[in-house]
Amino acid sequence: MNGEILVELDDLLQAERELSALLGGLRADEQEARVLYSRLQDWKGHSANVLRDQIEIFFVEMSRRIHEIELQKMELVRYVQYMKQVDMSS
């Protein structure tokens, strides 16, 4: 090899599918966690408040990470489109 990085379009498309599956799983897990979290609303006391605060921080962090993955997927999709255009013009 002469220092070139070779990336197959199929590999990029597979990565896009895997990111989509990951996002789907994270969203489903988040929804399930929110259902469980709603059950905590009846809990009272300091420990319940601490636990709710921790779970809310978890949701904020999970939302941030989902957003980051969505951005990475959008970049990948743009790159795939670019690669398709380059391939068609060669």
Side-chain angles (χ1 to χ4, degrees):
M1 268 184 121
N2 58 3
E4 292 180 25
I5 297 175
L6 299 175
V7 178
E8 294 286 331
L9 187 55
D10 288 340
D11 294 336
L12 295 173
L13 294 171
Q14 177 64 30
E16 181 185 347
R17 286 189 297 273
E18 289 175 8
L19 282 175
S20 293
L22 174 63
L23 285 167
L26 286 173
R27 288 185 185 116
D29 289 347
E30 180 184 23
Q31 184 61 36
E32 184 177 343
R34 289 190 183 278
V35 168
L36 294 172
Y37 173 71
S38 69
R39 295 180 188 166
L40 295 177
Q41 298 309 313
D42 294 338
W43 290 18
K44 305 288 184 227
H46 177 70
S47 295
N49 292 336
V50 169
L51 181 58
R52 273 193 286 276
D53 290 345
Q54 291 174 341
I55 293 173
E56 288 169 6
I57 290 169
F58 167 79
F59 285 137
V60 167
E61 185 63 22
M62 182 176 237
S63 293
R64 184 187 68 76
R65 289 187 181 182
I66 287 172
H67 181 70
E68 286 177 357
I69 294 169
E70 287 171 337
L71 291 176
Q72 290 174 350
K73 182 182 170 196
M74 287 179 6
E75 289 177 28
L76 178 61
V77 168
R78 280 194 294 271
Y79 184 71
V80 166
Q81 293 302 320
Y82 171 75
M83 293 304 293
K84 286 180 180 179
Q85 289 174 353
V86 168
D87 190 45
M88 292 168 91
S89 66
S90 1

